[in-house]
Structure formats: C-alpha cells, structure tokens
Amino acid sequence: MRMRRKPWAEKEIKENPDFVVPNPEEWKGRWHHFFGNDQAIHIEIGSGKGQFIVNMAKTYPHINFIGIEIQTSVLAVAVRKLKLAKEEFSLSNICLIRENAARLKEVFASQEVERIYLNFSDPWPKRRHAKRRLTHPAFLDVYSSIIKRPGEIHLKTDNEAFFEYSLNSFADYGCRLRNISFNLHESDFENNIMTEYEEKFAQLGKKIYRCEAIML
Amino acid sequence: MRMRRKPWAEKEIKENPDFVVPNPEEWKGRWHHFFGNDQAIHIEIGSGKGQFIVNMAKTYPHINFIGIEIQTSVLAVAVRKLKLAKEEFSLSNICLIRENAARLKEVFASQEVERIYLNFSDPWPKRRHAKRRLTHPAFLDVYSSIIKRPGEIHLKTDNEAFFEYSLNSFADYGCRLRNISFNLHESDFENNIMTEYEEKFAQLGKKIYRCEAIML
C-alpha cells in the first residue's frame, strides 16, 4: 500500500488545516463540538487515498466521518480528493487526521466513536509482524477504549490469511461476529462503498472478505 | 455423500445390536449407565462410514463416543469398521445409533452431551434447502437442548459456502467462535483425526475449513 514519496504532500497537508485537522488530540472528547452537531462519529483507520471515507460522507450526511492516515503521501492525495468533493457538494461531516492507530486514545475519549472501519489494512503476513496487524489484540484494546457500546468494527480485506487471523482475534477478544462474507461482491450485501484497491481487485475478479465485529 | 444401496446393510445393522444401539431413546438420560462409566460423551452427527469416530474412540479412551447416522448403507459400513476395530482393540467407549439429527432431543437429556462433531455435513447449497443444513438455527436449537455448558461444536468441511453459512449461524445464535481455520492441513492444528472424505480431499490438495463454536 506504499506509494512513492510525493514532494508536494507535506505542503498540501499543512496548507489545508480545514481538511487535515492539525492537532487532533486537542479535540479529544470534543469531536461533536468540532463538527458542530450530535451525529454519530465513524472513523476509518488507514483511510489511504480517501475514496471510501469521502463517498461515505456524501452518502451518509447524518454521520460524521474521520479518516485516519499516517502516510503523508497518500493522505495528501486524500486531501485533494476531499477538496474536489467539497467543491461539488457541501460536506460538513468529514475531516482527516494524520495519526497513528496506536495513538488513538490520545485523540478520542472513551465511547466517543460509534464505528470503526478497517479497509484493506496491511496484512503483515510474517508471524513476527503480527503485532502490527490492525486487528492484533493490542489494537483491539485501543479500539475498546474509544468505542461506544455496542460498537461496531467493519472490516474488508482481500487477504484470506489476514481475514482468518482477524476473525479469530475478534472472537478471542470477546467480540460478537456478524455478517461474515467470503465473497462480498457475490453476496447479498447492499450499499457497499468501495475503496480504490477494492475497485481494482473486484475488476480482477478477486474475492473480497468482509465481517463486522461487535464490541459489547 | 449418498452411496449405492447395500442389500446386506439392514441385516448387518439388525444383527449387531452391540454396535448399533436398537432403541436409543430408551437410554435418554442414562447414557453414562449404558457405557458403565462417568466419562464425557461426544457425538458425531453424520458419522458416515465411521472412520473418524472409530479413530477418535481409539485415540481418546477416556471419552465416550456415539456416532449418529441415518443412512443405512453407510451405517452398515461403519458397523463393519467398528467390528474390526473391536477385534483388534478392546473398545468399550463407542457405539453407533441410527437416528435423525432433528430427533436428538428424544435420545439425549438436557446437558447429556459435552461435544458435538459435524464433519463434512451435506452443504445443501440451494437456499430453499437451508433448513436442512446441520448448522441451521433449528438444529442449533436441538444441540442447545442436549449440550452441557459450555459445550463445544467442532465443524470441518471442504465447502466454503457452507462454512461461511455456519460461521454466521453460530455467531448469530450467540455462540463464541474459536480456532477458525481456512486451511486446516496447513495450520498449526495438531492431532487432527481425518474422515474418509477428508483424506481424499487432502490428497487432492483441497482446502479444509474448520471451526469450534462454544455454546455458553
């Protein structure tokens, strides 16, 4: 999921504080104030180039969306995408933040987030890198500390081994699993909003796995 | 999983009441008495030709095993297999019954069974046949009424769609899932005892799916 370093990326982010919130930890416990409403807050961890989160914001105006991305180059692409979308539609329910998933407790208060999206997260296939997987119990601890109960984690991936790992990790953590799909695009699931990668994979006929884990 | 009708099958079963218990409902609530010990009772629903349950009985002498099969022809093959095994080893911890899964409440009392094995059950792929799948909620109701808490259901299948259906059915029923494997023979799972079908599939390099569902 790495892309070549973009020299303009840092500037793009810095110059657009309306799109990429500069010091997100300052809004901890006050995100409803940030958005100026009481709508539920859904976050995407690893929002990449932003197609999913921007389209979600367009489709569900009554939800507030926060895209979280640590890689400067892809985040900058998301900024441009969001800018275009905001010119076309008046979107007041979305922002991006440059942050590490492990640090989300510094950014969100307990129960501040209602839903977490994990889309095509890096599978970190080597066993010694398991701790880096976004469904490792150490990350579930982070999600547990910010998510409202019952809170939902929605996961999509094209990587079968990562999907298998994640199902077990969720189940072992005590999450209730729901809507497990081994082939999302052949399933009954409606209103699927695709990421950039998902579109590419789907065109190649690759299977997309999906599940929801409920933190009770 | 159907095999050609065997004209000798009915006779084989009738003549071996020590192997195929004739009126199993008469032992309801008294299976420990039947086995003459207090060992845990594990059942296999759809025990087919019996390789799995016979090998389990050999491997785990401190568990009582009951193989349940409704098809006369395959059950008769299991009888012959069990007979051979009993001649070689002195197995007192296994029997077979000819019974329908839907009727297990007539055969077992509440909490009488500690574990249920479902191996390569008929996937009934057509949606209108979903009620016949052994992981349909109607069957989970039956298992729920006879299984000790926490009770375990161990499932293996080579059918991905049936596996996906079963995971969802278990989760929706409130079971805790555990040890989900998308490729059993490539996994860390040890002490796997194979069924006849599983051996064939494994030789062909086909993937075997497995999971455990805990009824709490």
Side-chain angles (χ1 to χ4, degrees):
Chain A
M1 300 259 185
R2 295 265 162 191
M3 75 163 50
R4 192 171 302 173
R5 199 177 154 275
K6 293 191 165 42
W8 52 268
E10 192 63 41
K11 190 161 167 282
E12 182 77 21
I13 292 167
K14 287 272 166 61
E15 286 180 356
N16 287 285
D18 289 352
F19 300 106
V20 183
V21 184
N23 297 303
E25 63 277 14
E26 290 177 8
W27 292 100
K28 179 176 175 172
R30 305 194 301 125
W31 283 101
H32 285 114
H33 184 69
F34 174 89
F35 284 107
N37 61 46
D38 284 331
Q39 297 181 171
I41 293 169
H42 293 187
I43 67 176
E44 184 188 15
I45 303 178
S47 47
K49 299 188 205 166
Q51 176 170 303
F52 176 82
I53 198 87
V54 169
N55 283 338
M56 288 295 278
K58 282 189 214 167
T59 311
Y60 302 103
H62 299 300
I63 305 282
N64 298 322
F65 291 94
I66 304 178
I68 296 156
E69 180 55 58
I70 191 66
Q71 288 181 49
T72 304
S73 296
V74 278
L75 183 60
V77 175
V79 169
R80 291 194 167 174
K81 200 166 283 171
L82 181 52
K83 227 190 256 183
L84 283 170
K86 283 211 182 190
E87 276 165 22
E88 202 176 341
F89 310 88
S90 85
L91 296 176
S92 59
N93 63 329
I94 178 169
C95 71
L96 301 169
I97 65 180
R98 175 157 54 169
E99 194 52 88
N100 199 308
R103 272 187 28 91
L104 290 182
K105 276 198 271 194
E106 318 305 321
V107 175
F108 298 103
S110 167
Q111 312 232 26
E112 197 164 16
V113 170
E114 289 202 16
R115 188 180 295 176
I116 295 172
Y117 288 99
L118 299 176
N119 292 319
F120 302 89
S121 310
D122 193 327
W124 291 105
K126 289 182 184 155
R127 195 173 290 213
R128 64 188 160 89
H129 289 152
K131 278 187 194 169
R132 303 186 191 175
R133 295 174 196 152
L134 285 182
T135 49
H136 185 277
F139 281 110
L140 300 188
D141 277 340
V142 173
Y143 310 156
S144 173
S145 71
I146 64 173
I147 208 164
K148 201 168 169 178
R149 303 309 162 92
E152 302 183 9
I153 304 171
H154 291 202
L155 178 145
K156 286 195 282 196
T157 181
D158 65 310
N159 187 294
E160 187 187 67
F162 176 66
F163 189 60
E164 180 190 52
Y165 172 86
S166 300
L167 288 179
N168 281 296
S169 186
F170 286 137
D172 292 347
Y173 201 82
C175 298
R176 168 87 38 104
L177 291 166
R178 202 174 60 185
N179 292 327
I180 300 167
S181 173
F182 286 26
N183 197 345
L184 178 61
H185 296 183
E186 296 289 314
S187 75
D188 296 338
F189 186 67
E190 289 175 1
N191 308 320
N192 183 40
I193 300 234
M194 289 203 267
T195 74
E196 289 87 348
Y197 288 98
E198 189 173 356
E199 278 188 351
K200 227 181 282 177
F201 292 145
Q203 279 163 8
L204 295 170
K206 282 188 78 174
K207 280 171 34 164
I208 306 297
Y209 300 87
R210 182 179 179 279
C211 74
E212 299 170 13
I214 317 299
M215 285 195 162
L216 300 167
Chain B
M1 301 259 186
R2 294 267 162 193
M3 73 162 53
R4 192 172 301 170
R5 199 179 155 274
K6 293 190 165 38
W8 51 270
E10 193 63 41
K11 191 163 166 280
E12 182 78 21
I13 291 166
K14 286 271 165 63
E15 285 179 357
N16 287 286
D18 289 351
F19 300 106
V20 183
V21 184
N23 296 304
E25 63 277 12
E26 290 177 7
W27 293 99
K28 178 176 174 172
R30 305 192 303 124
W31 283 101
H32 285 114
H33 184 68
F34 174 89
F35 285 105
N37 61 44
D38 283 333
Q39 298 182 170
I41 293 169
H42 294 187
I43 67 176
E44 184 187 15
I45 303 177
S47 46
K49 299 187 205 165
Q51 176 169 301
F52 175 83
I53 198 86
V54 170
N55 283 337
M56 288 296 278
K58 284 189 213 166
T59 311
Y60 302 103
H62 300 300
I63 306 281
N64 298 322
F65 292 94
I66 303 177
I68 296 154
E69 180 55 58
I70 190 67
Q71 289 181 49
T72 304
S73 297
V74 278
L75 182 60
V77 175
V79 169
R80 293 194 165 175
K81 199 166 284 172
L82 181 54
K83 228 190 257 184
L84 283 171
K86 283 211 181 190
E87 277 166 21
E88 200 176 344
F89 310 88
S90 88
L91 295 177
S92 59
N93 63 328
I94 178 169
C95 71
L96 302 169
I97 66 181
R98 175 156 56 169
E99 194 50 270
N100 199 309
R103 271 187 27 92
L104 290 182
K105 277 196 273 192
E106 319 305 322
V107 176
F108 298 102
S110 169
Q111 312 233 26
E112 197 165 17
V113 170
E114 288 201 16
R115 189 180 292 175
I116 295 172
Y117 288 100
L118 299 175
N119 291 320
F120 302 90
S121 310
D122 193 326
W124 291 106
K126 288 182 184 156
R127 193 172 292 213
R128 66 189 161 85
H129 289 152
K131 278 187 195 169
R132 303 185 190 176
R133 296 175 195 152
L134 285 182
T135 49
H136 185 276
F139 282 110
L140 300 189
D141 277 340
V142 173
Y143 311 154
S144 172
S145 72
I146 62 172
I147 208 163
K148 201 169 170 179
R149 304 309 163 90
E152 302 184 8
I153 304 169
H154 291 202
L155 178 146
K156 288 196 280 196
T157 180
D158 65 310
N159 187 294
E160 187 186 69
F162 176 67
F163 189 60
E164 179 191 52
Y165 172 85
S166 300
L167 288 178
N168 282 296
S169 186
F170 287 137
D172 292 348
Y173 201 80
C175 299
R176 167 85 40 103
L177 291 165
R178 202 173 61 183
N179 292 328
I180 301 166
S181 173
F182 286 25
N183 197 345
L184 178 60
H185 296 183
E186 297 287 314
S187 76
D188 296 338
F189 186 67
E190 289 174 1
N191 307 322
N192 183 41
I193 300 232
M194 289 203 269
T195 74
E196 288 87 348
Y197 287 100
E198 189 173 356
E199 279 188 352
K200 226 180 282 177
F201 292 146
Q203 278 163 9
L204 295 170
K206 281 189 78 174
K207 280 171 34 164
I208 307 296
Y209 301 86
R210 183 180 179 278
C211 74
E212 299 168 13
I214 318 298
M215 284 196 162
L216 301 168

